[in-house]
Amino acid sequence: MEAALGLVFGVDSQLIRDGTYFVVEREGQIIGCGGWSNRKTLFGGDAMKTGMDIELDPKRDPARIRAFFVHPAWARCGIGCAILERCKKAIQLAGFRSVELVATLTGEPFYRACNYSQGERFEVPLANGLTLPVVQMVKQF
Ligand SMILES: CC(C)(COP(=O)(O)OP(=O)(O)OC[C@H]1O[C@@H](n2cnc3c(N)ncnc32)[C@H](O)[C@@H]1OP(=O)(O)O)[C@@H](O)C(=O)NCCC(=O)NCCS
């Protein structure tokens, strides 16, 4: 987890600039976050970006679901589902017909419960020869 922090588990500030990243607050504290994207990048924070993050074509490409994190004290309270539902509305409004994401293994049961299908499994290289196992997940609207 430490090797993934900052690189894979980091802020993609493009989502904030695009206004497609949401937070859930309680008494002034952020307890959950997650978003969607109409850009090509599938996962990772600013540290993983190499160049321009090009815009996708809603008629041809799947939108992205990005960077869902719920504070452990608030897990299984429906916050992830609520953010995902908010993203779905925005994605449909933007004209996309499908969604793709790359989930960590901890996120996989959550997306499966939300009717995402499992795609390819692969390992993201991290520092010191470590890797992070992830799984591609997809959904048609
Ligand atoms: C994955 C995560 C975002 C889910 O958020 P959440 O607010 O806890 O999810 P919800 O409460 O909306 O869960 C909805 C449903 O998903 C399924 N689900 C969620 N977490 C699950 C888990 N750990 N194991 C099995 N099923 C799970 C359940 O069916 C759940 O419904 P239920 O609680 O009524 O059984 C959150 O647990 C998290 O931040 N995990 C660590 C970071 C991470 O893995 N992020 C995903 C990166 S791609």
Side-chain angles (χ1 to χ4, degrees):
M1 283 176 73
E2 276 177 24
L5 275 171
L7 188 70
V8 183
F9 300 152
V11 178
D12 180 348
S13 49
Q14 183 68 56
L15 300 183
I16 298 168
R17 281 196 294 279
D18 287 342
T20 59
Y21 203 60
F22 306 111
V23 298
V24 172
E25 287 180 307
R26 187 176 162 102
E27 293 168 358
Q29 299 284 314
I30 294 177
I31 57 172
C33 55
W36 71 281
S37 178
N38 64 346
R39 296 181 187 272
K40 193 158 189 259
T41 298
L42 271 163
F43 63 91
D46 287 341
M48 281 190 82
K49 287 269 179 81
T50 48
M52 277 271 292
D53 197 354
I54 60 164
E55 287 193 33
L56 300 167
D57 176 358
K59 290 195 193 76
R60 207 186 50 205
D61 304 316
R64 306 329 194 190
I65 286 292
R66 299 286 313 275
F68 270 59
F69 298 98
V70 171
H71 189 288
W74 295 95
R76 304 297 285 268
C77 295
I79 293 169
C81 258
I83 305 175
L84 201 55
E85 202 45 44
R86 179 66 185 78
C87 289
K88 185 183 164 188
K89 282 195 185 117
I91 288 169
Q92 286 179 318
L93 203 63
F96 287 91
R97 298 186 200 121
S98 61
V99 196
E100 181 176 341
L101 61 90
V102 171
T104 53
L105 301 189
T106 50
E108 187 181 350
F110 164 67
Y111 293 114
R112 201 175 307 116
C114 299
N115 297 317
Y116 281 75
S117 314
Q118 180 205 309
E120 186 196 350
R121 288 184 187 277
F122 58 99
E123 308 255 336
V124 180
L126 303 172
N128 301 326
L130 297 171
T131 59
L132 180 73
V134 292
V135 55
Q136 175 204 31
M137 305 205 74
V138 290
K139 184 172 174 173
Q140 310 285 328
F141 289 140

